[in-house]
Amino acid sequence: QSALTQPASVSGSPGQPITISCTGTSSDVGAYNYVSWYQQHPGKAPKLMIYEVTNRPSGVSNRFSGSKSGNTASLTISGLQTEDEADYYCSSFTSSHTVVFGGGTKLTVL
Amino acid sequence: QVQLQESGPGLVKPSETLSLTCTVSGGSISGFFCSWVRQPAGKGLEWIGRIYTSGSANYNPSLKSRVTMSVDTSNNQFSLRLTSVTAADTAVYYCARGPGGRNLDDWGQGTLVTVSS
């Protein structure tokens, strides 16, 4: 299985919105509504931010939202804050009943 | 609040077997999928596989020939075995838990495993 495609880096200023894309295939992202997004700060374990494309776990800020169109999913962070600076990974369930991650995106808050 | 803790040797010799255990506290693993994810230094996340508490497992196709997962519901633990390791298997290994196995709700802190002679 091939990794999902994410931009290597994105940046934005505090208060601005940013969007991170995650492109897969009809066998993963396009097959199910089982796309998740994780935030990882340096030296820390990943944290689930979005599951099943659009759902936020309890305690995750509503500034984080997810969407999907075809084989591409997106994570949007509205009103960027300095603490949002981290690496972000998407993942998708696949038609083979496995999970595949994206390569990760480094978010810089300018 | 559920907590996951990985344990096992931090150093494994090439060609030998890497073995890790994840102990879950504050919550049961029964009815959950338990997963392993690894991350080489400076690189992205790689899904290794998942196992349900019934013992049914799915593995990353690229690692399938070398991976075995098991679960011990009586001790609230699950384990990973990776055979014939090489330097390319050096990574931080995370255990994680999720209700459907498609998203990982709870994570351990990770443990560094180095493959070196």
Side-chain angles (χ1 to χ4, degrees), chain B residues 9-91:
Chain B
L11 181 63
V12 182
K13 290 182 169 55
S15 80
E16 295 190 345
T17 296
L18 179 159
S19 294
L20 295 174
T21 295
C22 182
T23 301
V24 181
S25 58
S28 175
I29 62 171
S30 294
F32 284 83
F33 280 88
C34 302
S35 302
W36 291 94
V37 175
R38 70 181 183 179
Q39 184 173 36
K43 296 189 178 181
L45 302 173
E46 180 180 30
W47 184 81
I48 299 172
R50 67 175 189 170
I51 185 167
Y52 190 58
T53 47
S54 65
S56 174
N58 303 101
Y59 301 132
N60 185 323
S62 68
L63 298 170
K64 189 174 183 177
S65 63
R66 299 194 292 131
V67 172
T68 303
M69 293 182 184
S70 59
V71 61
D72 178 358
T73 53
S74 61
N75 288 309
N76 233 27
Q77 295 178 326
F78 58 102
S79 299
L80 167 71
R81 291 182 76 251
L82 181 66
T83 62
S84 305
V85 298
T86 69
D89 295 309
T90 294

Side-chain angles (χ1 to χ4, degrees), chain A residues 1-107:
Chain A
Q1 57 191 25
S2 299
L4 306 177
T5 300
Q6 297 181 231
S9 64
V10 298
S11 62
S13 299
Q16 287 187 329
I18 64 96
T19 296
I20 300 172
S21 62
C22 170
T23 301
T25 70
S26 58
S27 296
D28 39 61
V29 175
Y32 309 100
N33 287 326
Y34 291 135
V35 175
S36 301
W37 289 90
Y38 301 88
Q39 176 192 66
Q40 186 181 36
H41 287 108
K44 300 295 186 181
K47 174 186 176 182
L48 180 67
M49 304 301 284
I50 296 286
Y51 67 98
E52 295 174 3
V53 179
T54 61
N55 297 312
R56 277 188 312 276
S58 175
V60 172
S61 170
N62 60 8
R63 296 185 298 104
F64 292 83
S65 62
S67 63
K68 191 187 86 166
S69 177
N71 296 337
T72 299
S74 299
L75 172 72
T76 297
I77 308 174
S78 62
L80 267 183
Q81 298 182 0
T82 55
E83 59 262 35
D84 299 334
E85 185 163 293
D87 293 328
Y88 291 84
Y89 295 90
C90 62
S91 75
S92 177
F93 192 63
T94 79
S95 57
S96 301
H97 290 193
T98 62
V99 171
V100 61
F101 281 101
T105 298
K106 182 177 181 61
L107 169 62

